[in-house]
């Protein structure tokens, strides 16, 4: 099967896939620590720093700091630091941002024009669908918390290897607040796992939960694009992780409905709450069950 056809099929199936052998440009040979330090200039970057390599968004066990890009790359690539913020073996993570952090999505060609030249964005979507391109640079051992994004995503591994674990959006109910003792349901979620090597591209469909573990110091770039019509997305979302406008309106309406229900005694709240669940299930889960049987029919595929 031709690779373009393969890619189209993967994208329309809404399943994650590792694509190998896609031309990512000269970055694969060029992006050594020294080269990155030289070409990335002394541009200030906002980074995550933590005393432990498991960064946890719920516990907020990391600090936001600012460093010149070159100094950040040096520290992220070494195990022990002579200059540090928290402790000498602290871990670093860069998720690059736009120029105006609140308004603009990240775009390598604007924030790092000299390095962006070396990275060829895979042409799997139209230029109008492009949303952002983001540096993902991590210390060895760094783990990023489980989360989902609302845009389709290609995560390119340029140097180092990275383990990625994914969970289907249909396992969302098993995934919220993954504290195993408190939420034993978590184990029910089906885990998809892959290890990205330099040159690999991982397609992460919108809404798929994912977490990452950098097995070495590594540099990646991810590209988000709009899979839905442009006006489905929140206009003020530089990160690509705000729920589509219709979804957040529906969630707000649900909150209002629940508040209204609270005007009744507890046994009535229980009764009508169950009816509401049944209504939601009927309207939204039936299609999902069909999709589910297709989705769970095979493991992550790795084309040669
Ligand atoms: O590369 C990473 O560490 C995280 C990547 C990620 O979350 C993404 O591309 O959406
Ligand atoms: Fe992500």
């Amino acid at each position: 099967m031709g690779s373009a056809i393969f890619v189209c099929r993967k994208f329309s199936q809404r399943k994650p896939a590792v694509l190998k052998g896609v031309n990512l440009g000269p970055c694969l040979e060029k992006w050594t620590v020294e080269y990155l330090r030289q070409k990335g200039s002394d541009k200030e970057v906002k980074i995550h720093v933590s005393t432990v390599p498991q960064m946890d968004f719920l516990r907020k066990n990391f600090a936001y700091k600012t460093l010149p890009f070159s100094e950040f790359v040096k520290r992220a690539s070494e195990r022990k630091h002579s200059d540090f913020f928290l402790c000498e073996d602290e871990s670093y993570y860069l998720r690059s941002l736009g120029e105006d952090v609140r308004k603009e999505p990240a775009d390598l060609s604007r924030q790092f024009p000299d390095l962006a030249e070396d990275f060829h964005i895979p042409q799997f979507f139209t230029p109008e669908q492009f949303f952002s391109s983001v540096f993902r640079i991590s210390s060895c051992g760094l783990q990023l918390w489980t989360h989902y994004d609302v845009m389709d995503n290609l995560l390119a591994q340029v140097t180092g290897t990275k383990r990625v674990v994914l969970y289907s959006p249909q396992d969302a109910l098993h995934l919220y607040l993954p504290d195993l003792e408190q939420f034993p349901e978590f184990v029910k979620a089906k885990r998809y796992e892959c290890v990205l090597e330099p040159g690999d591209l991982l397609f992460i469909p919108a809404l798929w939960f994912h977490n990452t573990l950098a097995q070495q110091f590594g540099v990646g770039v991810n590209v988000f694009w709009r899979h839905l019509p442009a006006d489905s997305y929140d206009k003020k979302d530089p990160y690509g992780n705000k729920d589509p406008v219709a979804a957040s309106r529906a969630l707000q309406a649900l909150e209002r409905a629940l508040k209204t229900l609270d005007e009744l005694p507890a046994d009535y709240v229980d009764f009508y709450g169950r009816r509401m669940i049944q209504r939601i299930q009927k309207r939204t889960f039936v299609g999902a069950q069909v999709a589910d049987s297709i989705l769970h029919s095979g493991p992550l595929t790795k084309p040669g």
Side-chain angles (χ1 to χ4, degrees):
M1 192 180 346
S3 70
I5 296 169
F6 172 80
V7 164
C8 278
R9 268 190 40 180
K10 278 295 158 204
F11 287 8
S12 60
Q13 283 172 356
R14 319 295 309 145
K15 276 173 86 167
V18 178
L19 310 172
K20 288 182 172 280
V22 176
N23 179 16
L24 298 179
C27 57
L28 283 181
E29 287 83 47
K30 283 191 173 169
W31 284 6
T32 61
V33 169
E34 292 68 33
Y35 181 89
L36 288 167
R37 294 190 63 188
Q38 190 196 328
K39 288 273 181 161
S41 75
D42 41 13
K43 186 182 177 61
E44 301 270 315
V45 284
K46 196 173 156 198
I47 52 175
H48 299 62
V49 185
S50 64
T51 57
V52 291
Q54 299 85 10
M55 289 192 185
D56 183 334
F57 191 73
L58 292 175
R59 296 199 181 94
K60 285 266 162 35
N61 66 345
F62 52 84
Y64 293 106
K65 300 285 179 188
T66 301
L67 279 180
F69 181 76
S70 151
E71 174 65 12
F72 158 73
V73 170
K74 173 183 176 282
R75 293 203 205 170
S77 65
E78 65 193 12
R79 290 250 184 199
K80 271 198 176 172
H81 322 292
S82 45
D83 290 318
F84 51 84
F85 296 105
L86 310 170
C87 61
E88 63 176 6
D89 61 348
E90 63 196 14
S91 298
Y92 290 84
Y93 181 67
L94 170 67
R95 184 251 189 256
S96 66
L97 301 168
E99 226 55 57
D100 182 341
V101 173
R102 297 235 176 95
K103 293 201 187 123
E104 258 174 69
D107 184 343
L108 282 199
S109 67
R110 301 184 67 167
Q111 287 89 50
F112 301 92
D114 292 347
L115 292 171
E117 277 178 17
D118 303 332
F119 176 76
H120 296 174
I121 295 182
Q123 299 296 303
F124 296 148
F125 49 87
T126 67
E128 299 75 53
Q129 288 177 295
F130 172 83
F131 177 73
S132 63
S133 56
V134 184
F135 253 137
R136 305 280 182 171
I137 304 182
S138 18
S139 293
C140 178
L142 188 104
Q143 277 179 265
L144 196 70
W145 57 87
T146 306
H147 66 279
Y148 70 92
D149 305 294
V150 300
M151 308 234 178
D152 275 5
N153 183 3
L154 282 169
L155 174 59
Q157 192 68 20
V158 180
T159 66
T161 61
K162 183 183 278 167
R163 186 198 72 188
V164 185
V165 174
L166 299 121
Y167 302 94
S168 157
Q170 280 143 26
D171 275 334
L173 296 180
H174 306 306
L175 281 166
Y176 276 112
L177 303 169
D179 177 333
L180 274 190
E181 258 168 53
Q182 234 183 319
F183 300 93
E185 287 280 291
F186 184 67
V187 290
K188 285 191 192 160
K190 178 172 168 163
R191 180 189 160 97
Y192 295 73
E193 183 177 319
C194 62
V195 174
L196 299 180
E197 291 165 2
D200 288 354
L201 258 186
L202 173 63
F203 170 50
I204 308 178
L207 310 184
W208 277 73
F209 290 80
H210 50 283
N211 64 59
T212 58
L213 162 65
Q215 296 176 330
Q216 295 154 0
F217 161 71
V219 179
V221 176
N222 89 280
V223 182
F224 285 122
W225 76 95
R226 300 182 189 89
H227 147 72
L228 304 176
D231 61 2
S232 310
Y233 298 99
D234 194 318
K235 298 255 167 340
K236 293 191 213 87
D237 178 17
Y239 292 91
N241 61 8
K242 282 202 186 158
D243 296 313
V245 280
S248 70
R249 272 180 23 227
L251 289 169
Q252 273 168 23
L254 177 62
E255 286 308 318
R256 278 201 302 278
L258 291 170
K259 239 193 194 142
T260 310
L261 209 53
D262 271 340
E263 291 170 18
L264 293 162
D267 49 341
Y268 287 72
V269 172
D270 182 293
F271 177 76
Y272 287 100
R274 285 169 200 273
R275 280 189 57 181
M276 285 161 72
I277 292 174
Q278 191 182 45
R279 184 86 188 90
I280 292 172
Q281 275 190 335
K282 246 196 175 145
R283 274 295 292 271
T284 66
F285 280 24
V286 177
Q289 277 162 12
V290 178
D292 198 56
S293 62
I294 301 164
L295 272 166
H296 288 110
S297 61
L300 260 189
T301 39
K302 282 196 179 197

